[in-house]
Amino acid sequence: MTTMFRSRLARVRQTMTERGVDTLLLSVGADLPYFCGYEAMPLERLTMLVVPREGDATLVIPRLEAPRVHDRPEVFAMRPWGETEDPIAIVASLVGSAATIAIGDTTWSRFLVDLLRELPAATWCRASTVTSPLRAVKDADEIARLRVAAAGVDRIAHDLQTGDIALVGRTEAEVSADLGRRILAEGHHRVNFAIVAAGANAASPHHDAGAHVIQEGEVVLCDFGGTMIG
């Protein structure tokens, strides 16, 4: 895994060079675990991976969250911060005089606003301009994991289509909970969503499964998935 993350950071630095980006800042969202293996919780405390175009990457993280990190010193240095420290100032010191900064698209605005104040001379852009071209091309290991994850939910979809999962007479919420249990039983470590919408509710693609009892002949929309092995 360490070799994989080192390779990804090397490729992202190459893209940074091509696009004239001096520093990449990644906080909550999918980019952070892709490049360092750690998925940050969306807290009011800042977690941010600072990746300079040249030099070592540093993961700035709340000290109370540091035990959750799989430490990979060959990939990034850890900079835990305490409750009386200013994480924005820490990130700004690591960024230094970088002229162009790419920041994660899903970074909380409260942190970006503070960084703009700390680094007023910098030019900012979205990190996806650097990260998306890399993440869009899947390697053999990623493809294999995607197939395993997809196969699990495909089996559940098959059971819905054949009637092995009962619908009529059950509430949307009951079926949704059933789908969630089956997603976990298939090996996913998290249920991301399990939408069940029947009758008129099926016109709402992101309907919250509720107390509506599914009737014979109704359209039933099911949309479900989870996260497995990254």
Side-chain angles (χ1 to χ4, degrees), residues 112-130:
L112 175 57
V113 168
D114 290 344
L115 285 166
L116 289 169
R117 185 186 63 246
E118 287 286 327
L119 300 163
T123 298
W124 297 78
C125 64
R126 291 185 297 162
S128 58
T129 61
V130 176

Side-chain angles (χ1 to χ4, degrees), residues 39-95:
E39 184 175 1
M41 295 179 65
L43 302 175
E44 72 282 3
R45 297 175 175 87
L46 177 65
T47 295
M48 184 159 281
L49 181 68
V50 182
V51 184
R53 190 162 61 187
E54 297 179 1
D56 297 329
T58 303
L59 182 64
V60 177
I61 187 166
R63 191 174 300 279
L64 62 86
E65 289 294 301
R68 296 181 60 239
V69 180
H70 186 118
D71 193 12
R72 294 184 171 91
E74 302 89 348
V75 180
F76 58 87
M78 288 268 286
R79 175 54 172 95
W81 59 272
E83 292 295 293
T84 60
E85 293 185 279
D86 181 358
I88 297 296
I90 293 170
V91 171
S93 69
L94 291 168
V95 171

Side-chain angles (χ1 to χ4, degrees), residues 45-206:
R45 297 175 175 87
L46 177 65
T47 295
M48 184 159 281
L49 181 68
V50 182
V51 184
R53 190 162 61 187
E54 297 179 1
D56 297 329
T58 303
L59 182 64
V60 177
I61 187 166
R63 191 174 300 279
L64 62 86
E65 289 294 301
R68 296 181 60 239
V69 180
H70 186 118
D71 193 12
R72 294 184 171 91
E74 302 89 348
V75 180
F76 58 87
M78 288 268 286
R79 175 54 172 95
W81 59 272
E83 292 295 293
T84 60
E85 293 185 279
D86 181 358
I88 297 296
I90 293 170
V91 171
S93 69
L94 291 168
V95 171
S97 59
T100 302
I101 303 169
I103 189 164
D105 293 31
T106 53
T107 302
W108 282 22
S109 61
R110 58 177 292 178
F111 300 131
L112 175 57
V113 168
D114 290 344
L115 285 166
L116 289 169
R117 185 186 63 246
E118 287 286 327
L119 300 163
T123 298
W124 297 78
C125 64
R126 291 185 297 162
S128 58
T129 61
V130 176
T131 61
S132 291
L134 300 177
R135 291 186 53 209
V137 180
K138 308 302 182 186
D139 61 28
D141 179 62
E142 288 177 290
I143 292 170
R145 286 184 282 137
L146 283 165
R147 283 176 172 155
V148 171
V153 290
D154 281 350
R155 283 188 287 271
I156 299 171
H158 175 268
D159 290 344
L160 276 169
Q161 291 168 337
T162 59
D164 289 342
I165 298 176
L167 297 176
V168 176
R170 303 172 76 190
T171 66
E172 296 169 336
E174 288 172 336
V175 177
S176 176
D178 190 358
L179 296 178
R181 287 190 295 270
R182 290 168 184 262
I183 289 169
L184 296 176
E186 286 288 349
H188 292 73
H189 78 263
R190 181 171 66 221
V191 179
N192 292 344
F193 53 92
I195 298 168
V196 178
N201 294 333
S204 175
H206 292 164

